[in-house]
Amino acid sequence: MLCGKYHLDRGQAHPLLDEIPDIVHLPRRPGHHPELQAAIDLLGREAGASRCGADVAVAGLLDLLLVYMVRAWLEASQADSHSMARWPAALSDPVVARALRHLHEAPEAPWTNEVLAARTGVSRATLARRFTTLVGRAPMAYLTWWRMSRAALLLRDSTAPLDSVARQVGYSSPYALSHAFTRAFGTTPGRYRARSAEDLSPTARSEPVRTSAG
């Protein structure tokens, strides 16, 4: 048996996580999910060995395994129209999926509803209706959420100054970012970064924060 775990920051958890069932059962069938099976086989070999670089390999394979598991669940949900959750439906819709890809790839761009609708090839009204119905938020509300998620990640995982973080997520100044960030998280970017550094320090935890397997 292989076991792995993640410690998640649920302050800005992606809504997809709320739709994944507590238990996802993916039966092993010939020809089904070959990438997932390959990742499981590789992870089993690395987790049970004490070879050079095993810690790095296990962490990377655990990430890959999670991607393949979520992908398999999405594919199964998309195939079952009667039980399709919101996010599988959104990713199956060509207009909404295209809009999401644009926002995710370039959160720093000066997006408006008009620009996003033009980039996806539909009218503003059509985009707003389909996006809000399937994603649960209007396009610009989702963009704000995504920018805050990216800002939080940059504050946790980098030492980039606040003005650089602001530019990378589409804000013209540290003040503008700080105002939006405080509204979303209830604390300033500086305090959030300091608290994250404390949480991730070796003295504040007794086990790996990111991944583990055994």
Side-chain angles (χ1 to χ4, degrees):
M1 177 178 290
L2 293 173
C3 299
K5 65 183 177 181
Y6 281 82
H7 289 187
L8 300 177
D9 178 0
R10 292 195 173 274
Q12 285 289 100
H14 195 280
L16 173 64
L17 293 177
D18 293 331
E19 296 195 347
I20 297 178
D22 291 338
I23 297 176
V24 177
H25 180 217
L26 301 172
R28 180 175 181 176
R29 298 191 183 100
H32 282 225
H33 313 303
E35 300 91 348
L36 176 59
Q37 186 58 57
I40 291 173
D41 291 342
L42 286 171
L43 182 59
R45 294 172 190 170
E46 291 291 344
S50 56
R51 299 159 62 186
C52 178
D55 289 346
V56 176
V58 166
L61 286 168
L62 195 58
D63 286 347
L64 193 60
L65 183 63
L66 178 63
V67 170
Y68 287 150
M69 290 173 65
V70 172
R71 182 184 293 172
W73 171 75
L74 282 170
E75 291 173 352
S77 298
Q78 290 167 346
D80 185 358
S81 59
H82 296 290
S83 62
M84 186 181 290
R86 172 175 281 166
W87 269 90
L91 297 176
S92 297
D93 184 281
V95 170
V96 176
R98 194 177 305 122
L100 285 168
R101 184 167 60 252
H102 287 315
L103 297 180
H104 277 242
E105 290 178 350
E108 76 285 358
W111 293 109
T112 64
N113 285 310
E114 292 81 0
V115 171
L116 187 59
R119 293 289 298 275
T120 55
V122 295
S123 69
R124 174 181 170 180
T126 296
L127 175 63
R129 174 176 50 80
R130 290 169 70 165
F131 195 102
T132 304
T133 298
L134 294 178
V135 175
R137 295 175 179 169
M140 294 301 103
Y142 182 85
L143 174 61
T144 298
W145 174 86
W146 178 239
R147 284 173 167 172
M148 292 300 97
S149 297
R150 294 297 303 163
L153 181 65
L154 289 167
L155 291 168
R156 283 199 310 266
D157 296 348
S158 79
T159 58
L162 193 56
D163 60 341
S164 175
V165 174
R167 288 194 302 272
Q168 291 182 64
V169 297
Y171 288 86
S172 59
S173 68
Y175 175 79
L177 171 63
S178 182
H179 181 72
F181 194 91
T182 301
R183 188 168 59 247
F185 285 90
T187 188
T188 65
R191 290 174 181 169
Y192 181 89
R193 171 171 270 172
R195 187 181 65 197
S196 298
E198 291 175 0
D199 292 342
L200 293 175
S201 67
T203 57
R205 54 186 171 90
S206 59
E207 56 186 344
V209 168
R210 186 161 175 271
T211 59
S212 65

